[in-house]
Amino acid sequence: MTRTEKTAPPADYRLLLPEGWFRILLDPEQRDGAVDALVERQFHGIDNAPHLKEELRADLRHRAAKAYRGGGIELYLSLQEAGPFTIPASLLVSLAPLRRAEPLPPHALAEAFAQDADPAAATEVSVEELAVGTAVRVRRTTRRAGEEEAEEGRVSVSVEYHVPVPGTTEYLLLTFSTPLEPIADAMAGLFDAIASSLTWTE
């Protein structure tokens, strides 16, 4: 982390997630083992779908590698079930360095997000107070170009929390997403609760 002279940066962070979320550490030395464990869990007792199993493994490894290249630290995937269905949602935790000598205040970052909002996405930007301090919250609902009405699998709802890391010019970025627009408000409430659980450790 890029240090400033005012405050010592935290050693790490902690998040509380509900039961049913699977954690994948994105470090290259750890992620393949985590992906394999998730795949084996999802296909436990299923021996007649080897191609689907390998497709899931390849897809997860690709997603994990891409997230790591973008500064990702860990990826959480929802395995929560509602009846016979798994609720699709994810949380990507990333470290976003800023090329500045001084930390960028959250209010200034919020203004920048509001000015640069994608017209193709319904965007809400706000400044929120978490236990760890002031953070920027960005909620987006994105549809594929040319589609007037949402169809299953064609809408993405995301909630981002940009949290300043004390003693640095960096932000910890929590990116939540789900394709389930009909329950987007309920999922956003869950995402807010997870973000509110963030704490720094020494």
Side-chain angles (χ1 to χ4, degrees), residues 122-139:
T123 304
E124 303 170 9
V125 181
S126 60
V127 176
E128 307 290 339
E129 292 298 329
L130 303 180
V132 294
T134 305
V136 179
R137 180 183 186 272
V138 183
R139 175 174 169 173

Side-chain angles (χ1 to χ4, degrees), residues 63-98:
R63 289 177 61 185
K66 182 179 179 180
Y68 179 77
R69 291 194 297 270
I73 300 171
E74 55 187 357
L75 175 67
Y76 292 87
L77 299 176
S78 168
L79 302 180
Q80 287 184 292
E81 296 181 350
F85 303 103
T86 299
I87 300 174
S90 65
L91 163 60
L92 173 62
V93 183
S94 308
L95 192 63
L98 298 176

